[in-house]
Amino acid sequence: MLKPSIQTFLQNKLFAYTGAFAFLIAAGFAGISIGTIHVPFRDIAFLLSHHLLGTGLDGVNPTFDNIVWKIRLPRVLLAGLVGASLAVAGAAFQGLLRNPLADPFTLGVSSGASVGAVMVLFFHLSLPWFGSFTLPIISISASILTIFIVLLFAQSIEKSLKVETIILTGIIFSSFLGALISLMIALTGEELRQIIGWLLGSVSMRGWDYIQLILPFFLTGVTLLLIHAPELNAMSFGEEKAQHLGVNVQRKKLIVLLAGSILTGAAVAVSGTIGFVGLVIPHLIRILWGPDHRHLLPLSVLIGAGFLILTDLVSRTIISPTELPIGIITSLIGAPVFAVILLRKQRKGRGTA
């Protein structure tokens, strides 16, 4: 256990936000700097200043411009947006369902989004008027449909909608949807490598176009969740108490589920299936800085973004020049954490029995 003075210092919100911003910036600079060709931090700062503020490039190696602006910076930004999306969605689902095991992966939302995205790739779908936005729109629609099917199925099993029943139902649907994806892969010809590579999760070889795809959905989802942080606080004490506090529980629950599904679907559309980010990051932040969603959600955005940037850095450097799919790294980290959370939850349950 930490000493009370250290605990109080760590839980100070100014320290929390300062530390989270510093972590994100350090992760971003590391992600841009480290690679086959090392780019000094000083040159990165000059290049960013040149492109954003129009300053000069005196003393900067011209080859660094393409490396930073066209390859590494969009990759780092995309990893950050995906990590932030999955982490804040996981934090919202955990608060809504009052269970640390709830996240887009365990609830089946990621699998639903994956099915939608694989269908786009498999059938070469393109919606009229939407063009390149076909992939995230169908992926988001599939994730929203999945969460509502999971809830309806769980309610048919148990009308009280116990959290354990919802999570078990989500895992069952994840397995079923995974089988559908495997079927499409088995029937695939030329697109096999593309689909499998996409399913393993990656932000490699994605340019500025992918950032444009995810950004509007990211802003929409995060804004909705931040606005409803006080309601999430109320609902974390139970639906009856929230109703007594004047919260329209059904309406707010629907908005939170929609926002979380939008974030998950958009993230899956641009990066593939990356598991456990929405489980690990909110759980860590809740331990360090408490369960208040007014701070938990924005901190999840910052820490989740930095975490996935560093995870992507590991995935492309650990066995360089070969790249590992980022989803493999997050699963290697997330699966043991999932097991620890499950064991702690079971021990708490025995303690209160």
Side-chain angles (χ1 to χ4, degrees):
M1 292 291 290
L2 294 172
K3 291 181 179 180
S5 58
I6 299 174
Q7 187 81 23
T8 303
F9 174 72
L10 286 175
Q11 289 183 345
N12 180 277
K13 296 302 180 286
L14 178 61
F15 168 79
Y17 284 105
T18 303
F21 271 115
F23 171 67
L24 176 57
I25 292 168
F29 269 87
I32 297 170
S33 174
I34 300 171
T36 308
I37 297 174
H38 173 70
V39 181
F41 284 2
R42 170 188 169 278
D43 289 359
I44 294 171
F46 275 123
L47 284 165
L48 293 178
S49 177
H50 169 70
H51 284 283
L52 298 175
L53 303 175
T55 57
L57 282 176
D58 297 336
V60 177
N61 188 333
T63 59
F64 289 164
D65 192 21
N66 279 336
I67 293 171
V68 170
W69 191 254
K70 293 185 179 178
I71 299 172
R72 291 189 189 167
L73 179 60
R75 178 170 183 156
V76 162
L77 289 175
L78 187 64
L81 288 170
V82 170
S85 297
L86 295 174
V88 75
F93 286 145
Q94 287 171 14
L96 183 68
L97 299 175
R98 305 186 301 283
N99 193 301
L101 297 177
D103 87 321
F105 199 70
T106 55
L107 291 175
V109 181
S110 291
S111 296
S114 297
V115 168
V118 169
M119 285 177 63
V120 173
L121 298 173
F122 183 77
F123 294 110
H124 305 287
L125 299 177
S126 180
L127 296 175
W129 302 297
F130 291 106
S132 60
F133 280 90
T134 297
L135 184 59
I137 286 172
I138 291 183
S139 184
I140 288 167
S141 300
S143 66
I144 292 171
L145 180 62
T146 301
I147 190 64
F148 282 111
I149 291 174
V150 166
L151 291 173
L152 285 171
F153 192 80
Q155 190 177 38
S156 69
I157 296 172
E158 191 173 37
K159 288 189 178 179
S160 61
L161 273 179
K162 281 188 179 178
V163 174
E164 289 80 4
T165 306
I166 294 172
I167 291 174
L168 270 175
T169 307
I171 292 170
I172 291 167
F173 270 85
S174 287
S175 300
F176 174 72
L177 294 170
L180 281 182
I181 292 170
S182 298
L183 176 62
M184 282 188 274
I185 288 173
L187 298 173
T188 300
E190 299 175 358
E191 300 86 2
L192 180 62
R193 181 181 292 274
Q194 180 190 3
I195 291 176
I196 290 178
W198 179 86
L199 282 172
L200 291 172
S202 175
V203 290
S204 176
M205 302 305 291
R206 268 76 159 169
W208 292 102
D209 290 346
Y210 280 80
I211 294 170
Q212 292 175 6
L213 284 180
I214 189 176
L215 193 57
F217 301 108
F218 170 78
L219 294 174
T220 301
V222 169
T223 301
L224 284 172
L225 291 180
L226 292 178
I227 289 171
H228 290 87
E231 285 82 359
L232 271 171
N233 280 342
M235 287 190 283
S236 65
F237 292 106
E239 293 185 7
E240 286 186 14
K241 287 186 178 179
Q243 283 177 335
H244 287 311
L245 292 170
V247 176
N248 186 335
V249 171
Q250 296 305 319
R251 183 166 176 266
K252 299 303 179 183
K253 188 190 291 185
L254 178 64
I255 292 171
V256 170
L257 288 172
L258 282 171
S261 298
I262 287 170
L263 288 164
T264 304
V268 168
V270 297
S271 67
T273 307
I274 298 175
F276 295 108
V277 178
L279 179 79
V280 174
I281 301 303
H283 188 68
L284 174 66
I285 295 169
R286 199 176 282 107
I287 290 171
L288 290 175
W289 294 305
D292 187 343
H293 288 86
R294 293 172 300 173
H295 303 294
L296 177 62
L297 295 179
L299 287 171
S300 293
V301 169
L302 298 172
I303 302 293
F307 171 76
L308 205 67
I309 290 170
L310 290 182
T311 308
D312 178 55
L313 177 60
V314 170
S315 75
R316 62 183 171 86
T317 57
I318 193 169
I319 55 170
S320 180
T322 305
E323 285 192 20
L324 285 175
I326 193 172
I328 292 175
I329 306 294
T330 58
S331 294
L332 288 172
I333 297 169
V337 174
F338 183 88
V340 170
I341 295 171
L342 189 62
L343 285 170
R344 285 183 60 182
K345 191 172 184 298
Q346 190 176 22
R347 284 171 186 166
K348 280 184 182 177
R350 285 176 183 171
T352 55

